[in-house]
Amino acid sequence: MSLSPADLAAARQSLAERDPALARAHAQTLPFEWRVRQAGFVGLFRMIVEQQVSVASAASVWARLNAGLGEITPQALLAHDLDSLRGMGLSRQKATYGQGMALVQVEGRIDLDHLSTLDDTAAIEALVSLKGVGLWTAEAYLLLCEGRTDVFPGGDVALQEAIKWADRAEVRPDTKQAYARAEVWRPYRGVACHLLWAWYTGVKKGEIVLDEAA
């Protein structure tokens, strides 16, 4: 789904009014669009390709895959052996994960193209059943590719750091604490996530200055 600018602004305002810590992030962060990446098999596979490599490296591998496969589909991925996929820039592990996901999709065990018909909990359970897809990847996929508004990847280190700043805490929360902290932001935990990410990025780029108490 996609939130309109008005709906996104209203959700941010609601979060800021409900939580003074988020109000700081909201006040320092410019409006941003609710952007949704491609979903389905291609969207999830691309997230696997992008893991643990730089943005530039991931873009290069994706371009090589597009050129080598003609079109990135489950069928195209299964038509090539692991060595061929490695020749297109994939690690053996990512090629194995990709083919496993492709086989599940082709056999109809999970329909990634219609995952949006499941609620958040069921969708996460389906995703983490795939080899190579952990909880963070599942939650990030639902948030970034399907645009779900109440998904919160609590294991994300950048989010944990931003929560630490927002709460003026001395120690960054762990995953369990981050999930607990986000409960107050329902039903807009996904919006809170995007806000904290934008705030974190602004601070890291030097565009936003935290006050001395943060």
Side-chain angles (χ1 to χ4, degrees), residues 88-138:
M88 298 176 202
L90 284 179
S91 67
R92 178 171 290 274
Q93 184 180 60
K94 289 183 178 181
T96 300
Y97 290 160
Q99 286 198 325
M101 289 166 39
L103 186 61
V104 167
Q105 176 78 356
V106 167
E107 292 181 346
R109 284 180 276 158
I110 295 178
D111 187 355
L112 295 170
D113 294 324
H114 296 88
L115 198 68
S116 59
T117 61
L118 302 179
D119 64 27
D120 295 345
T121 300
I124 289 171
E125 289 178 356
L127 287 167
V128 298
S129 72
L130 298 170
K131 191 171 183 178
V133 179
L135 181 58
W136 180 91
T137 301

Side-chain angles (χ1 to χ4, degrees), residues 176-196:
K176 183 178 179 180
Q177 291 167 335
Y179 281 126
R181 180 66 178 85
E183 281 299 308
V184 71
W185 302 330
R186 287 183 182 271
Y188 294 121
R189 291 182 302 163
V191 177
C193 177
H194 279 292
L195 174 58
L196 289 169

